[in-house]
Amino acid sequence: MAENVEHLAKLAKIYFEKEELENFQKEFIKILEFVKKLEELDLKEAKPLSQPLDLENVEREDQEKIFEDEKMKEKLKESFCERKGDFLKVKKIL
Amino acid sequence: MIEKLTIEEFSQKLKNKEFSTKEFLENLFEKIESEDKEIGAFLSLNKEGALKEAEKIDKMILKKEKLPSLAGVPCAIKDNILVKGLKCTAGSKILENYVAPFDATVIKKLKEAGAIIVGKTNLDEFAMGSSTEHSAFQITRNPHDLEKVPGGSSGGSAVAVAKNFCFFSLGSDTGGSIRQPASFCKVVGLKPTYGAVSRFGLIAFASSLDQIGPMTKNVKDCEIVFEIIKGKDPLDSTSVEIEKRFEEKKEIKVGIPKEYLVEGIEAGVKEVFEKAIKKYQAKGIKFEEISLPHTEYALPCYYILACAEASSNLARYDGLKYGNFIEGNDIFDVYSKTRKLFGKEVKRRIILGTFVLSAGYYEAFYLKAQKVRRKIKEDFEKAFEKVDLIFTPVSPIFPFKIGERIEDPLKMYLADIFTVSINLAGIPAISIPIEDLPTGLQIIGPSFSERKIFQIAKIYDIS
């Protein structure tokens, strides 16, 4: 099931045409074969590495920050896909 | 005129009033407008803005004010880096009309240094690709052979430098996207140490691998630009200050990994690489064979991790907050119809990323790849106990024909086989052109050894 591109496309929220799906499915099997090469390695002792510098979490006080640049505020709102006044308009969820 | 100048020479001539900034920029735009039609380096030009900035610099010169270090220096920016007020498309239909509301930190730094942005350059969509053919808008041609690709994903940035449309450009490098096009277009390109340059304002592809870096005509210019854009940024928690100073050693030892010169390397690439080594030997540099035993696992490891991160990063394109959107019946319909705007390669990677992160497969793929990443990093650490730097070719192949690899994703991925390990390990590497051929020498160093890399790269550059 999980190797099924149609299912993965649903999880990733991407609409695919039927013939597109067939091509992707074929390619996907090949790409999976390619990445399965890692199975050759014995990794029982290995520790995973999630980013190269082994950085510590950077934390800061959770403080309110006022957006002073009025123009910037407006610019961000202008980027909204759909807008109603100062609000980002979205479809009904419930 | 720009062809023969370095950044320092340009600054000197500007100060000597041999030309004005505005004059220089006007000539440059004339050149770009006539020559870029057949090449396709730029997605958009910033002519009006650039000329305005040029006038400001000229006023400063007139008033004999102190000029910042890059005053009037024209540059080009990859279209996945935000420049306030300019479109930033990332080469994607989904961001076709997106205008950046703020400057990336690197852009802020360049502007403070007086650099002038002439335009935004073409790239593979969201920097995913090795040929710039995956841009949703246009292809970019290799200026040295118009039938061939310029490499990618920073193909437009490499070409803008190669065609002398600017003194330098910025690219981004997740698995080779600065070095490989630099190599294909005979220019210099640096992938800095992970964290050396702020990623704030770079449209994210794979956050643990992405780095912004300079592309230039020569090593000295590359160093100048790097010194300006580097540094810790409170807006990027993974950025760090480079503190380590490397003493200039008399005797530099360079390692050649035996795993890099085996099968799959195109005829001629090895010979050119060996020529470069001979030149260094003549300068007294010592070489020895080393081993990076996990080399063959780097590419599959990279694709698992990069795609996993991409599938998460690209979840933000939902047709709500910004970018294009397609109307639908309900919110899920809006999501999936909008995200259909992604190109083939981007979808391919999101699907793979979604798979390796899904329940039941996470450990077998994602976690395993993270463990291999550690092994690859350790390979390099061990190697750097014995040698100061490592040399490899940048790419196993010469520039290929437009269309030749686009239908075969695995074949396209192989173009990055010598560059991805460097991003996995987070270390810096430069690509410098070897003689006048479209294949670069990759000089790799330990974390934060950029100065040492420049020092050695200059030897080849000067001779």
Side-chain angles (χ1 to χ4, degrees):
Chain A
M1 179 68 171
E3 290 177 26
N4 180 320
V5 173
E6 198 175 349
H7 172 68
L8 292 167
K10 266 186 204 144
L11 292 178
K13 308 267 185 299
I14 302 177
Y15 178 80
F16 277 84
E17 303 288 348
K18 209 166 176 106
E19 59 182 292
E20 215 184 349
L21 267 181
E22 279 167 26
N23 286 332
F24 263 75
Q25 189 65 55
K26 274 187 224 145
E27 269 174 16
F28 186 64
I29 299 297
K30 275 196 220 159
I31 294 173
L32 267 192
E33 279 308 310
F34 169 69
V35 297
K36 274 184 182 163
K37 187 173 172 57
L38 301 189
E39 287 173 4
E40 294 169 15
L41 289 167
D42 175 16
L43 298 162
K44 274 187 226 97
E45 305 293 319
K47 269 195 347 203
L49 179 72
S50 57
Q51 44 88 4
L53 294 177
D54 274 333
L55 292 167
E56 302 262 318
N57 248 349
V58 180
E59 293 174 341
R60 60 164 174 79
E61 286 294 307
D62 192 12
Q63 282 170 329
E64 183 190 32
K65 210 174 154 191
I66 309 285
F67 236 121
E68 279 172 5
D69 186 350
E70 277 298 322
K71 265 198 211 148
M72 166 92 121
K73 228 194 234 172
E74 187 49 37
K75 285 237 167 73
L76 289 174
K77 282 184 271 187
E78 275 169 17
S79 309
F80 292 170
C81 296
E82 280 194 288
R83 178 178 172 182
K84 200 170 183 184
D86 273 349
F87 294 95
L88 168 67
K89 191 178 162 197
V90 297
K91 290 256 179 269
K92 201 164 85 179
I93 293 170
L94 287 174
Chain B
M1 161 91 89
I2 182 169
E3 288 82 357
K4 296 191 186 79
L5 295 178
T6 64
I7 290 177
E8 283 176 346
E9 286 163 356
F10 167 82
S11 302
Q12 201 49 52
K13 285 184 189 293
L14 196 64
K15 275 177 207 156
N16 295 346
K17 297 186 184 149
E18 291 183 35
F19 45 73
S20 75
T21 320
K22 200 176 170 197
E23 249 170 14
F24 194 89
L25 264 292
E26 277 169 345
N27 287 334
L28 192 62
F29 276 109
E30 207 173 291
K31 177 181 160 77
I32 294 171
E33 279 159 2
S34 80
E35 291 177 24
D36 197 38
K37 275 188 214 115
E38 61 165 12
I39 296 281
F42 286 100
L43 284 175
S44 58
L45 291 176
N46 176 37
K47 193 172 174 181
E48 205 184 314
L51 292 176
K52 235 188 239 166
E53 288 306 311
E55 280 173 13
K56 276 190 208 160
I57 303 282
D58 286 334
K59 267 185 201 150
M60 287 173 82
I61 295 171
L62 212 65
K63 286 190 200 153
K64 296 202 170 100
E65 285 174 37
K66 192 177 176 326
L67 294 178
S69 59
L70 290 179
V73 177
C75 66
I77 307 295
K78 187 176 182 179
D79 207 23
N80 61 350
I81 299 171
L82 269 56
V83 180
K84 192 175 174 174
L86 299 188
K87 265 214 269 188
C88 194
T89 68
S92 180
K93 284 260 182 252
I94 220 157
L95 289 176
E96 196 172 6
N97 303 306
Y98 177 68
V99 176
F102 55 86
D103 279 329
T105 298
V106 288
I107 298 302
K108 207 171 146 239
K109 289 184 171 198
L110 288 180
K111 284 182 175 174
E112 280 163 7
I116 295 181
I117 294 159
V118 296
K120 304 292 299 286
T121 57
N122 197 21
L123 69 159
D124 287 296
E125 184 175 1
F126 288 104
M128 297 178 188
S130 313
S131 68
T132 315
E133 290 166 289
H134 288 301
S135 163
F137 306 111
Q138 65 194 39
I139 56 162
T140 299
R141 294 178 184 274
N142 190 313
H144 306 293
D145 181 345
L146 297 180
E147 297 307 308
K148 303 242 166 96
V149 301
S153 64
S154 311
S157 285
V159 172
V161 173
K163 284 289 289 176
N164 288 295
F165 293 156
C166 54
F167 281 99
F168 71 92
S169 60
L170 291 186
S172 66
D173 190 316
T174 307
S177 280
I178 288 175
R179 290 159 286 155
Q180 187 254 20
S183 165
F184 277 14
C185 295
K186 307 184 196 174
V187 301
V188 175
L190 173 77
K191 197 293 278 185
T193 308
Y194 183 77
V197 177
S198 166
R199 291 181 292 110
F200 179 75
L202 168 69
I203 294 180
F205 158 15
S207 307
S208 82
L209 301 157
D210 297 341
Q211 264 295 283
I212 295 173
M215 304 178 84
T216 54
K217 293 194 283 181
N218 59 65
V219 179
K220 177 73 192 150
D221 287 355
C222 190
E223 188 173 16
I224 290 174
V225 178
F226 173 68
E227 287 297 325
I228 287 167
I229 61 172
K230 73 174 174 49
K232 184 164 176 56
D233 175 13
L235 298 171
D236 174 3
S237 63
T238 61
S239 64
V240 282
E241 206 58 65
I242 304 183
E243 281 157 6
K244 267 193 243 170
R245 303 266 166 191
F246 284 90
E247 356 143 18
E248 292 204 8
K249 285 212 303 200
K250 276 227 173 82
E251 196 171 272
I252 296 267
K253 231 194 293 167
V254 174
I256 309 286
K258 60 177 185 202
E259 292 82 2
Y260 278 60
L261 294 170
V262 282
E263 54 195 295
I265 188 163
E266 195 174 307
V269 171
K270 196 174 164 188
E271 286 71 16
V272 175
F273 176 65
E274 279 162 357
K275 245 186 185 173
I277 292 178
K278 280 213 181 92
K279 224 162 171 182
Y280 272 101
Q281 278 170 331
K283 298 272 176 188
I285 307 282
K286 299 268 177 286
F287 287 86
E288 68 174 72
E289 190 182 85
I290 56 158
S291 174
L292 299 169
H294 294 88
T295 296
E296 59 175 319
Y297 301 101
L299 209 51
C301 170
Y302 170 80
Y303 274 93
I304 291 173
L305 297 179
C307 293
E309 292 186 31
S311 73
S312 165
N313 267 328
L314 271 61
R316 73 191 66 185
Y317 303 102
D318 56 5
L320 303 177
K321 300 185 289 287
Y322 48 78
N324 276 342
F325 89 109
I326 307 286
E327 191 56 82
N329 302 324
D330 55 37
I331 196 158
F332 294 110
D333 205 30
V334 171
Y335 288 159
S336 59
K337 281 184 179 153
T338 298
R339 289 163 66 77
K340 192 175 182 290
L341 293 170
F342 285 136
K344 229 183 187 177
E345 182 59 23
V346 173
K347 285 189 226 171
R348 219 176 252 142
R349 296 197 194 193
I350 292 177
I351 293 294
L352 179 63
T354 305
F355 172 73
V356 300
L357 291 176
S358 62
Y361 294 85
Y362 176 87
E363 282 185 14
F365 289 92
Y366 184 70
L367 201 63
K368 192 169 275 169
Q370 283 194 318
K371 289 178 177 176
V372 177
R373 184 175 189 179
R374 168 91 56 193
K375 294 272 182 203
I376 288 166
K377 191 175 180 236
E378 285 170 354
D379 280 356
F380 279 104
E381 282 164 357
K382 273 180 211 146
F384 286 127
E385 284 170 13
K386 291 207 298 189
V387 295
D388 300 291
L389 297 166
I390 295 170
F391 281 15
T392 74
V394 172
S395 166
I397 47 172
F398 288 108
F400 44 91
K401 279 214 166 105
I402 291 165
E404 194 183 308
R405 288 175 182 243
I406 192 94
E407 293 303 331
D408 187 346
L410 286 175
K411 211 171 163 194
M412 187 71 95
Y413 297 170
L414 285 172
D416 297 330
I417 196 156
F418 293 162
T419 46
V420 292
S421 331
I422 282 80
N423 299 72
L424 289 168
I427 52 183
I430 201 169
S431 169
I432 58 169
I434 305 175
E435 301 197 341
D436 194 29
L437 293 160
T439 178
L441 169 68
Q442 178 167 242
I443 305 178
I444 310 162
S447 289
F448 305 110
S449 66
E450 278 84 354
R451 284 194 185 96
K452 197 194 289 178
I453 291 176
F454 288 134
Q455 181 199 335
I456 294 303
K458 274 181 207 159
I459 295 178
Y460 200 88
D461 212 29
I462 294 161
S463 52

